[in-house]
Amino acid sequence: MSDLFAAAAVAGNLPLPPDGRGRMVALGIEGSANKVGVGVLLYSEGSYTILSNPRKTFITPAGQGFLPRETSWHHQTHITAIIRTALSEAGLQTADVDVICFTKGPGMGGPLRSCAVAARMMALLLRKPLVGVNHCVGHIEMGRVATGCANPVVLYVSGGNTQVIAYSDRRYRIFGETIDIAVGNCLDRFARIVGLSNDPSPGYNIEQEALKGTQFLELPYIVKGMDVSFSGILTKIGTEYKRLVPSGKATAADFCYSLQETVFAMLVETTERAMAHTGTDTVLIVGGVGCNKRLQHMMTLMAAARGAAVCAMDHRYCIDNGAMIAQAGVFAHQMGFSTPVSESSCTQRFRTDQVDVIWRPAAVAVTKEGYA
């Protein structure tokens, strides 16, 4: 089933140049972590339509994480079949694709390279342009299009990244971020301590377990200005879990509940400060942890108190997927950008604020008194 987003949903972008307004099919390949996905996106008559968006997840046994080598093998094994599936579901042939988009970074080196090789080979064989995409910007642009949220403060939360972001002067500016591990990594690693399954994801299973919690256990609350820290929380909760659960003074569900409440409150606090500084009345939550209903609810309560709104998505677009890479890639390509094959190497460190956001105006307006 396809998902169509009207041109009005990308308000805040520059008008397309004449040579970028024609019908265009973009194929996006994502594989920066344990998910490999391929999305096919059609631009036609002012609308962006996701024609297909299959993905496959590398799931390890409970108590284990995923290592770069094994994850790379997984992606190499499945990427060709997923490309075929994406095109088949879209009802297209390879010759119908106009541009190949791929994740340039950030992410795990081996998995990134595995997918970049596939993208390069497609571009060379089909003689199509190649567009390298920043993974974080892909999440943001997918969120803006899917929710119609033109100029929000963005909370980007995943297994590898935790950032509070707002747009200004052709850059997505990072107002605050983790100073050690990402919030998703904190949740994943605690799931290993508890022994929760990695299927469909450890974060989802923590969310379900937290619903059973009956007592709040105080944990470190570490906000440093606009930045946050999660490694000390993980150390503390691991120690307390081993002390209290065997004695029957607390349950695994209590710890899952307490961990969520603590780390999400930290994220809501820093996001609210960014909203106050920029004068923005919308917040967009993106990244895999953004699927969490409790985080969405806590953010909604904060936003409502400010007379603001929350834009959130479900697992189809929050979790890593190929369509988000196609979306950010087609935005750049419609403005004339492409990546030469000689410059299509991947990088594990590619910050959100390094990207020249050429598809958005240098100055933007907000709905409340604030920056422009």
Side-chain angles (χ1 to χ4, degrees):
M1 181 179 293
S2 64
D3 293 307
L4 182 146
F5 304 110
V10 287
N13 282 13
L14 290 168
L16 294 178
D19 59 355
R21 297 176 190 165
R23 183 181 187 275
M24 183 177 294
V25 174
L27 184 144
I29 300 176
E30 156 60 24
S32 59
N34 68 325
K35 294 173 178 62
V36 55
V38 177
V40 178
L41 183 142
L42 168 67
Y43 173 81
S44 179
E45 299 180 356
S47 296
Y48 296 91
T49 306
I50 297 174
L51 301 179
S52 62
N53 198 22
R55 66 181 165 221
K56 193 168 182 65
T57 304
F58 177 48
I59 298 175
T60 56
Q64 298 181 22
F66 51 91
L67 300 175
R69 180 186 296 177
E70 287 78 5
T71 308
S72 301
W73 291 342
H74 172 269
H75 291 6
Q76 291 165 21
T77 300
H78 295 288
I79 185 62
T80 301
I82 296 177
I83 291 172
R84 287 174 176 159
T85 298
L87 290 170
S88 176
E89 290 180 359
L92 300 174
Q93 303 294 322
T94 54
D96 299 318
V97 176
D98 297 300
V99 59
I100 312 293
C101 311
F102 73 100
T103 304
K104 185 175 177 66
M108 300 170 70
L112 280 171
R113 287 193 298 271
S114 298
C115 293
V117 167
R120 287 190 209 109
M121 288 304 298
M122 281 196 73
L124 290 170
L125 288 170
L126 301 177
R127 298 184 179 180
K128 302 292 184 179
L130 191 64
V131 176
V133 173
N134 178 286
H135 177 86
C136 315
V137 172
H139 274 296
I140 295 171
E141 298 306 339
M142 186 77 265
R144 289 180 60 236
V145 173
T147 65
C149 199
N151 186 40
V153 163
V154 179
L155 175 64
Y156 172 33
V157 279
S158 69
N161 298 275
T162 302
Q163 298 174 345
V164 178
I165 303 161
Y167 175 81
S168 178
D169 195 22
R170 295 279 168 82
R171 286 284 193 278
Y172 283 114
R173 310 289 175 174
I174 299 173
F175 279 64
E177 60 189 319
T178 177
I179 60 174
D180 41 51
I181 62 174
V183 63
N185 187 248
C186 177
L187 295 171
D188 291 352
R189 288 165 67 177
F190 181 64
R192 293 180 215 166
I193 294 173
V194 178
L196 294 178
S197 171
N198 290 324
D199 187 9
S201 72
Y204 174 80
N205 292 325
I206 281 186
E207 180 182 2
Q208 301 310 304
E209 193 71 15
L211 296 173
K212 309 171 190 173
T214 58
Q215 65 170 318
F216 177 78
L217 306 166
E218 188 171 350
L219 296 169
Y221 186 95
I222 310 170
V223 176
K224 300 177 181 292
M226 282 295 293
D227 294 331
V228 291
S229 171
F230 300 109
S231 61
I233 299 172
L234 181 62
T235 300
K236 178 66 173 178
I237 197 172
T239 301
E240 291 299 293
Y241 179 84
K242 294 173 183 177
R243 182 175 71 88
L244 296 177
V245 170
S247 65
K249 294 180 179 179
T251 65
D254 293 333
F255 277 101
C256 290
Y257 165 70
S258 303
L259 179 60
Q260 278 198 164
E261 295 298 303
T262 302
V263 298
F264 292 168
M266 292 161 55
L267 297 172
V268 170
E269 176 189 336
T270 51
T271 303
E272 183 176 18
R273 273 207 293 275
M275 294 177 73
H277 179 74
T278 61
T280 307
D281 66 354
T282 51
V283 55
L284 172 65
I285 309 174
V286 301
V289 181
C291 296
N292 189 291
K293 297 297 183 183
R294 179 57 182 159
L295 173 59
Q296 293 179 9
H297 180 66
M298 291 174 69
M299 194 68 74
T300 299
L301 293 176
M302 177 275 288
R306 297 181 56 83
V310 173
C311 300
M313 300 175 288
D314 60 24
H315 68 281
R316 291 174 300 165
Y317 304 124
C318 266
I319 295 173
D320 292 352
N321 63 90
M324 74 183 200
I325 302 304
Q327 186 67 72
V330 79
F331 278 167
H333 189 62
Q334 286 178 315
M335 302 303 292
F337 177 81
S338 63
T339 303
V341 172
S342 60
E343 299 175 14
S344 62
S345 59
C346 298
T347 174
Q348 291 179 266
R349 293 174 176 82
F350 188 9
R351 287 180 61 83
T352 313
D353 52 10
Q354 288 180 271
V355 178
D356 187 11
V357 186
I358 59 176
W359 54 92
R360 297 193 63 184
V364 295
V366 293
T367 54
K368 292 183 179 179
E369 184 178 355
Y371 76 97

